[in-house]
Amino acid sequence: MDAVLDNLDTFRQGFITTLALTVVSTVLALVLGTLLAAMRVSPVPTLRAAGATYVEVVRNTPLTLVFFFAVFVLPQLDIRLSFFVFAVIAVTVYHAAFFCEAVRSGINAVGVGQAEAARSIGLTFTQSMRLVVLPQAFRTVVPPLINVVIALTKNTSIAAAFGVVELTAVATRLANANSDAVIAIFLGSAVCYLALTLPSGWLAGRLERRVAVAR
Amino acid sequence: MSILVRNATRRFGDFTALDDVSVEIPSGSLTALLGPSGSGKSTLLRVIAGLERPDAGSVEIDGRDATSLPPQRRGVGFVFQHYAAFKHMTVRENVAFGLKVARRPKAEIRARVDELLELVQLPGLADRYPAQLSGGQRQRMALARSLATQPSVLLLDEPFGALDARVRKELRAWLRHLHDEVHVTTVFVTHDQEEAMEVADRIVVMNHGRVEQVGGPRDLYEHPANAFVMGFVGAVTRLGEHFIRPHDIEVRRQPNGTTSEAMVERLVHLGFEVRADLVLHDGQRLAAQLSRQDAEELELAQGQIVFVRPSRTRQFAEAPAG
């Protein structure tokens, strides 16, 4: 227990890195995923095919491999960024595919009539997506979206193996240094992850109830 | 504004929804596309709206080729059978939406929406959500929404199909009224011949993806081009090659040489009219329509033997389609 309390500051820094990685990647992945979902339902066949290919390739590739690509292949293309940014790229690219599929199921649930009605009163495809279809789609997909957010939070731990000193990396280092307190150290890191994921679950519940009223 | 559809064909896989259809819809008219399900009437309407692309053929709206224009650039208003109300917006927001997206001044939008809500008789419900409206109210809101951007053409796809019979009747009369006030070229799809007859001034009868006949309600009823139209726009009985309307059957108590014997199988009282279901001696069935007075004078009763003679029949060159 002392090993945890003595290193609270190191834990705090790891926690903040994990939090930053989670929040930044979630926002970017949600935007990219929504764009991909819009592509997958667009009237342009090339866009549909591109969206479908992205999803199929990315979601069937292990996240560790995606990390390898970001961390080892991008520098060879003369793209030099910090390990943190590479981690953001890997986590974003991977989870965008899952966000895409969740949002797409919501778009399909809205019904084609809504988009057609929007088109017939003068909206372009992009406007009808942005103003009519997506606002309604998000209401139906809060629970699956939160599932992806929770998975994303936990998946950031893979960044530990790629040079990012986040929660899992901190826990591993401390455990190596204090072999007598391994259990306490990993329990401490588990508590930190719970502090991130449990509020997501609560938020999902609250959003769902609010949306149920507005519908 | 007039609409001209030329040689439009649309296939869905093996199914031909539109088979080389050409139709002209004059400016300012109220036209019904009438036909059974699968006849292509909705597809034709969606081709006019741009929601469906024809595989071949062209669409002209107001003299301008619109075949490759997306729906938002055709100047059409579209009303759906299931309203397609924007559920996340209030009635006012729904109606104002097209104008808001077109970036019209706020004061103008407000005035136009108020005027439209007045027109569709929903002024008190502006701040409700669609879920808080009845079906008839929702459809009137959808109508106001489609009229807001001042379309040159108003298209309605089975607009009253999801409503109960009483509301449907009300809205029919109301649509007729609205058209007399607004004069926008209107096309609506229906499978209900009574609705088409009551509301439209021109009817396009469709079957199997083709146009069978175009004409006024009375025209179609009195001069049907073929057996299908005759059967679809009114009740009809077929005896051999002859097609007979139920009110074109003379019923007598005594034979007169030209009559056939029949038995009254059932009498149905429909307010002013009485329908007698008859069975001829050879087992063929025939429905005769009489006024209540005639039925009383003949003292018709179930099981009675009467003598009938068609006063007017029609024959068509070809066998009825479908």
Side-chain angles (χ1 to χ4, degrees):
Chain A
M1 203 58 204
D2 287 345
V4 176
L5 294 175
D6 291 346
N7 294 294
L8 263 187
D9 205 46
T10 322
F11 256 109
R12 198 174 53 88
Q13 277 168 14
F15 179 76
I16 285 171
T17 306
T18 292
L19 181 65
L21 188 55
T22 300
V23 171
V24 175
S25 304
T26 298
V27 171
L28 293 178
L30 191 55
V31 171
L32 180 58
T34 306
L35 259 167
L36 286 166
M39 281 168 69
R40 293 204 67 174
V41 299
S42 91
V44 186
T46 340
L47 289 180
R48 280 204 303 271
T53 310
Y54 180 101
V55 169
E56 286 315 324
V57 169
V58 170
R59 79 170 167 185
N60 291 310
T61 306
L63 178 53
T64 314
L65 266 184
V66 179
F67 261 98
F68 262 108
F69 264 93
V71 178
F72 297 115
V73 178
L74 289 183
Q76 293 199 357
L77 303 171
D78 250 1
I79 299 171
R80 290 178 199 288
L81 302 162
S82 72
F83 283 131
F84 180 79
V85 177
F86 282 136
V88 167
I89 291 172
V91 173
T92 299
V93 163
Y94 182 75
H95 291 92
F98 294 90
F99 277 128
C100 165
E101 289 306 278
V103 173
R104 193 168 67 98
S105 75
I107 291 174
N108 289 338
V110 170
V112 70
Q114 293 279 310
E116 288 184 339
R119 299 300 296 279
S120 76
I121 58 168
L123 277 74
T124 62
F125 173 78
T126 319
Q127 284 174 325
S128 66
M129 263 297 142
R130 192 164 53 85
L131 301 170
V132 175
V133 177
L134 287 176
Q136 294 181 67
F138 278 117
R139 284 158 198 249
T140 65
V141 294
V142 170
L145 284 181
I146 294 292
N147 279 344
V148 181
V149 172
I150 290 174
L152 184 151
T153 308
K154 296 183 296 180
N155 286 342
T156 57
S157 63
I158 294 182
F162 295 89
V164 180
V165 190
E166 44 66 82
L167 205 46
T168 301
V170 166
T172 314
R173 278 181 200 186
L174 288 177
N176 286 339
N178 306 278
S179 53
D180 54 333
V182 172
I183 292 175
I185 288 165
F186 278 106
L187 274 178
S189 85
V191 168
C192 289
Y193 278 111
L194 284 175
L196 288 173
T197 52
L198 283 181
S200 300
W202 292 330
L203 186 71
R206 282 194 56 180
L207 275 176
E208 232 187 314
R209 278 192 293 278
R210 260 193 43 200
V211 165
V213 175
R215 234 187 309 171
Chain B
M1 299 302 144
S2 64
I3 304 167
L4 190 58
V5 177
R6 273 208 207 101
N7 308 103
T9 296
R10 177 73 168 108
R11 289 189 195 87
F12 298 100
D14 290 340
F15 180 71
T16 304
L18 287 182
D19 187 0
D20 199 32
V21 167
S22 296
V23 177
E24 196 185 342
I25 290 156
S27 183
S29 69
L30 177 43
T31 302
L33 303 181
L34 174 68
S37 44
S39 61
K41 54 195 193 305
S42 279
T43 308
L44 178 57
L45 194 78
R46 292 170 60 84
V47 162
I48 295 172
L51 296 172
E52 207 76 71
R53 281 276 188 93
D55 298 319
S58 67
V59 179
E60 260 177 43
I61 297 175
D62 196 24
R64 216 160 46 108
D65 180 27
T67 316
S68 52
L69 285 183
Q72 70 269 21
R73 292 184 46 210
R74 294 195 181 199
V76 299
F78 202 98
V79 175
F80 298 81
Q81 179 178 0
H82 296 287
Y83 331 123
F86 300 141
K87 296 183 207 79
H88 60 308
M89 299 179 195
T90 63
V91 170
R92 171 174 293 284
E93 287 166 342
N94 261 280
V95 177
F97 195 54
L99 298 168
K100 205 176 129 197
V101 170
R103 296 178 189 281
R104 304 287 268 279
K106 276 214 171 94
E108 182 196 318
I109 296 178
R110 219 186 153 74
R112 177 93 182 119
V113 172
D114 285 339
E115 178 194 329
L116 281 164
L117 289 179
E118 195 72 47
L119 185 71
V120 300
Q121 298 158 6
L122 291 176
L125 304 176
D127 297 318
R128 297 244 189 126
Y129 281 90
Q132 298 165 305
L133 301 183
S134 71
Q137 290 170 332
R138 259 183 251 183
Q139 196 55 300
R140 279 184 278 148
M141 180 198 83
L143 233 135
R145 183 179 70 183
S146 67
L147 287 172
T149 47
Q150 281 168 319
S152 54
V153 173
L154 180 62
L155 306 171
L156 305 99
D157 191 1
E158 304 233 9
F160 314 133
L163 302 170
D164 66 61
R166 205 177 53 82
V167 180
R168 193 154 67 217
K169 256 196 140 55
E170 254 174 54
L171 281 194
R172 272 185 208 165
W174 178 83
L175 175 66
R176 181 70 245 182
H177 217 75
L178 183 86
H179 183 261
D180 293 342
E181 251 174 77
V182 190
H183 290 303
V184 57
T185 308
T186 304
V187 184
F188 74 101
V189 161
T190 179
H191 58 255
D192 179 346
Q193 54 88 17
E194 199 185 305
E195 186 167 290
M197 294 264 183
E198 196 179 311
V199 180
D201 39 51
R202 286 174 83 254
I203 299 175
V204 176
V205 183
M206 296 188 67
N207 190 30
H208 293 309
R210 291 198 206 94
V211 173
E212 297 280 354
Q213 191 175 1
V214 181
R218 193 171 163 185
D219 246 15
L220 294 181
Y221 193 81
E222 297 192 354
H223 307 290
N226 54 43
F228 174 79
V229 175
M230 177 142 191
F232 204 74
V233 300
V236 73
T237 304
R238 184 180 179 182
L239 289 180
E241 294 297 296
H242 297 270
F243 292 83
I244 313 159
R245 294 265 188 237
H247 48 74
D248 289 335
I249 293 168
E250 215 180 293
V251 182
R252 303 164 156 272
R253 293 298 298 262
Q254 304 297 330
N256 77 348
T258 57
T259 52
S260 318
E261 192 182 296
M263 187 194 74
V264 179
E265 191 182 36
R266 203 165 105 89
L267 272 181
V268 185
H269 294 267
L270 301 160
F272 173 74
E273 293 160 1
V274 175
R275 192 184 78 218
D277 295 337
L278 308 168
V279 189
L280 297 176
H281 51 57
D282 60 0
Q284 287 220 58
R285 286 190 156 71
L286 189 65
Q289 194 178 354
L290 303 93
S291 72
R292 199 172 62 184
Q293 199 185 352
D294 286 349
E296 273 169 14
E297 276 172 17
L298 288 165
E299 294 170 8
L300 287 186
Q302 199 170 318
Q304 191 180 14
I305 298 297
V306 291
F307 299 90
V308 297
R309 188 182 77 92
S311 57
R312 185 179 172 198
T313 69
R314 287 183 172 279
Q315 275 178 282
F316 299 99
E318 40 171 355

